[in-house]
Amino acid sequence: MSVTIKLSPLLRKYAPDYDHDKGIVVEDGAGKKVSQIAEALSIPKNRITMVMVNHRPSRMAYEARDGDMILLGMVIGGG
């Protein structure tokens, strides 16, 4: 049961050979928390400031379901 992880541009450096069109398919991702998936992919949790699941805001504690598309983002602000 798999999930697809997509990364915002600032997080892509943590995933060599990242393909935004395909994302990263995590075959055993269903049933795991987003934080656990990020850790398994070596994406620093302290860099993730936005989580979207199936285009809706979510949290690192969300337990992924089969077929989910999870976007991990790093948002920086300024003004």
Side-chain angles (χ1 to χ4, degrees):
M1 301 199 323
S2 67
V3 300
T4 301
I5 304 296
K6 298 262 184 151
L7 301 174
S8 70
L10 293 173
L11 292 177
R12 292 177 190 169
K13 65 183 175 185
Y14 299 106
D17 303 321
Y18 177 77
D19 181 342
H20 182 69
D21 292 330
K22 295 178 184 176
I24 302 169
V25 177
V26 180
E27 294 297 336
D28 62 345
K32 293 183 179 176
K33 293 180 181 181
V34 172
S35 61
Q36 294 171 312
I37 296 170
E39 184 177 337
L41 295 174
S42 298
I43 301 169
K45 291 186 276 186
N46 66 336
R47 298 283 189 220
I48 300 169
T49 57
M50 178 185 68
V51 176
M52 302 281 288
V53 176
N54 301 323
H55 306 286
R56 295 179 182 223
S58 192
R59 299 184 182 274
M60 294 289 282
Y62 173 80
E63 190 173 298
R65 297 180 185 150
D66 187 37
D68 278 348
M69 194 283 294
I70 301 169
L71 170 67
L72 301 178
M74 181 175 161
V75 180
I76 55 175

